[in-house]
Amino acid sequence: MQKITPFLCFAHEAEEAMNFYVGIFKNAKIISVERYGKGAPMPEGTVLTASFELFGQRFVALNAGPMFQFTPAVSFLVECDTQEEVDDYWSKLSADPQAEACGWLKDKFGVSWQVAPRQLGQLISDPDPVKAGRVMRAMMQMKKIDIAGLQQAYDAT
Amino acid sequence: MTSTIRTCLWFRDGRGREAAEFYCSLIPGSQVETVFVGDAGHGTIIDFSLGGVPYQILDAGPHFMLTEAVSISVETADQAETDRLWAALTADGGEESACGWLKDRYGVSWQIFPKRLTELTLRADKNVSAKAIAAMMKQKKIDIAAIEAAVRG
């Protein structure tokens, strides 16, 4: 059993969100669903907590009512190997064109994600500050990350 | 390579690296993996593993505020571990909240939740879980003996 679990509070979409995420990521499954009982702050039978795994990692979603707001202060960073993966996650997750910037997006539940190829981390931490700076500036202009565009900025002379 | 989802916490105040080191000191099996210091204005990115779960702190200025909507849930084995983590995380400007929740000195929300409480509130029969939940609702830090007593009632 995982000791540390990222825990997300939805207003009332915990189960829908779990099903959505489990349908998108690999090595994903529903672990358990617990429901509110009698006398609870939500109607009996409403999902209380939903536990699930994405890439084999445990997450929990809670229905808490409209108490808390997701903000980009917490985002979930999906590390990708190929442009195809970046494109796939981006098209499935992004629901708010206004929120798209620098590899960040918001899904239909208001949760923020970063869809980032591993190359991005490697290129912006290049020992040559000129090359790294060019990659950083190119990235700041992008919405969805374009690996070829990053490489072009890195290779530019 | 194996794909991962890394939970990224936005920090506003330049204390991200300190926070990552503090968290790693509290949870066994944790370590700071990489620290990336960007150009001026692009912040610091600290990748770390908390009990084997990938986390990141992006320390990059006052754009976003952490909220309780995403918290770090820790399953504790016994009261001593609950007490130790609760004391460390609420110290130096942290705040106790209700039902095992707290906000630490950096504004990150945590739940310190004994394994036994999950068994009593979610895995037990309805009568037991109703008593356990009622007792839990009165607590800030979880006192598992008091909840066990309420269940025996």
Side-chain angles (χ1 to χ4, degrees), chain B residues 8-107:
Chain B
C8 176
L9 311 173
W10 187 282
F11 271 52
R12 302 153 58 86
D13 60 3
R15 294 196 293 166
R17 185 170 185 171
E18 172 195 307
E21 285 168 358
F22 175 58
Y23 299 156
C24 289
S25 77
L26 295 177
I27 308 289
S30 304
Q31 60 175 347
V32 174
E33 293 165 342
T34 59
V35 178
F36 169 70
V37 181
D39 288 348
H42 291 136
T44 302
I45 302 171
I46 305 103
D47 281 2
F48 60 107
S49 148
L50 209 51
V53 176
Y55 272 85
Q56 177 179 85
I57 289 175
L58 176 50
D59 196 341
H63 304 294
F64 305 118
M65 283 285 282
L66 289 162
T67 71
E68 291 88 342
V70 183
S71 55
I72 303 174
S73 174
V74 188
E75 184 180 85
T76 54
D78 53 30
Q79 191 66 42
E81 188 183 24
T82 301
D83 292 348
R84 177 179 70 82
L85 290 172
W86 190 268
L89 288 166
T90 56
D92 299 329
E95 292 168 37
E96 296 191 331
S97 186
C99 308
W101 289 63
L102 64 85
K103 197 178 278 189
D104 73 22
R105 66 192 73 166
Y106 308 106

Side-chain angles (χ1 to χ4, degrees), chain A residues 7-10 67-71 74, chain B residues 66-71 101 109:
Chain A
F7 191 102
L8 295 86
C9 291
F10 292 85
M67 290 164 69
F68 306 123
Q69 287 283 320
F70 292 113
T71 75
V74 175
Chain B
L66 289 162
T67 71
E68 291 88 342
V70 183
S71 55
W101 289 63
S109 289

Side-chain angles (χ1 to χ4, degrees), chain A residues 113-130:
Chain A
W113 296 80
Q114 300 178 56
V115 180
R118 290 179 207 280
Q119 290 89 334
L120 176 59
Q122 290 157 11
L123 295 176
I124 62 171
S125 51
D126 193 88
D128 180 344
V130 176

Side-chain angles (χ1 to χ4, degrees), chain A residues 3 9 34 73 75 77 79, chain B residues 4 6 8 10 69 81 123:
Chain A
K3 185 174 185 65
C9 291
E34 313 290 344
S75 57
L77 169 59
E79 295 173 333
Chain B
T4 56
R6 191 176 282 280
C8 176
W10 187 282
E81 188 183 24
R123 308 273 181 260

Side-chain angles (χ1 to χ4, degrees), chain A residues 35-69:
Chain A
R35 293 176 189 276
Y36 280 101
K38 278 204 180 97
M42 292 212 189
E44 187 177 6
T46 305
V47 167
L48 170 64
T49 56
S51 302
F52 55 101
E53 285 182 3
L54 309 175
F55 295 135
Q57 183 192 324
R58 179 77 57 102
F59 294 82
V60 174
L62 169 77
N63 278 326
M67 290 164 69
F68 306 123
Q69 287 283 320

Side-chain angles (χ1 to χ4, degrees), chain A residues 4-153:
Chain A
I4 300 286
T5 310
F7 191 102
L8 295 86
C9 291
F10 292 85
H12 49 76
E13 314 93 330
E15 186 172 26
E16 189 189 343
M18 170 180 74
N19 289 332
F20 181 63
Y21 300 144
V22 166
I24 289 176
F25 294 100
K26 299 183 187 93
N27 195 7
K29 62 180 177 189
I30 294 169
I31 302 295
S32 63
V33 174
E34 313 290 344
R35 293 176 189 276
Y36 280 101
K38 278 204 180 97
M42 292 212 189
E44 187 177 6
T46 305
V47 167
L48 170 64
T49 56
S51 302
F52 55 101
E53 285 182 3
L54 309 175
F55 295 135
Q57 183 192 324
R58 179 77 57 102
F59 294 82
V60 174
L62 169 77
N63 278 326
M67 290 164 69
F68 306 123
Q69 287 283 320
F70 292 113
T71 75
V74 175
S75 57
F76 295 97
L77 169 59
V78 187
E79 295 173 333
C80 301
D81 288 316
T82 63
Q83 188 67 45
E84 199 180 3
E85 278 181 16
V86 172
D87 295 350
D88 185 47
Y89 291 126
W90 192 271
S91 67
K92 287 174 179 162
L93 286 169
S94 185
D96 178 0
Q98 297 297 318
E100 295 182 349
C102 312
W104 291 58
L105 63 83
K106 264 186 201 168
D107 71 20
K108 60 183 173 180
F109 307 105
V111 175
S112 289
W113 296 80
Q114 300 178 56
V115 180
R118 290 179 207 280
Q119 290 89 334
L120 176 59
Q122 290 157 11
L123 295 176
I124 62 171
S125 51
D126 193 88
D128 180 344
V130 176
K131 284 175 182 284
R134 280 201 306 261
V135 174
M136 180 66 93
R137 282 192 297 281
M139 186 272 286
M140 300 297 274
Q141 303 298 319
M142 294 177 182
K143 292 183 174 178
K144 181 176 75 179
I145 300 299
D146 166 23
I147 300 174
L150 296 178
Q151 191 64 49
Q152 213 168 26

Side-chain angles (χ1 to χ4, degrees), chain B residues 81-150:
Chain B
E81 188 183 24
T82 301
D83 292 348
R84 177 179 70 82
L85 290 172
W86 190 268
L89 288 166
T90 56
D92 299 329
E95 292 168 37
E96 296 191 331
S97 186
C99 308
W101 289 63
L102 64 85
K103 197 178 278 189
D104 73 22
R105 66 192 73 166
Y106 308 106
V108 174
S109 289
W110 296 73
Q111 297 175 62
I112 309 302
F113 215 75
K115 187 168 194 289
R116 179 69 182 140
L117 185 57
T118 303
E119 293 163 7
L120 290 172
T121 54
L122 297 179
R123 308 273 181 260
D125 73 56
K126 280 184 181 168
N127 188 31
V128 167
S129 76
K131 285 180 184 170
I133 289 169
M136 178 192 82
M137 298 296 271
K138 294 181 192 149
Q139 298 184 348
K140 290 181 175 177
K141 180 176 77 176
I142 300 301
D143 172 355
I144 199 65
I147 290 173
E148 299 265 20

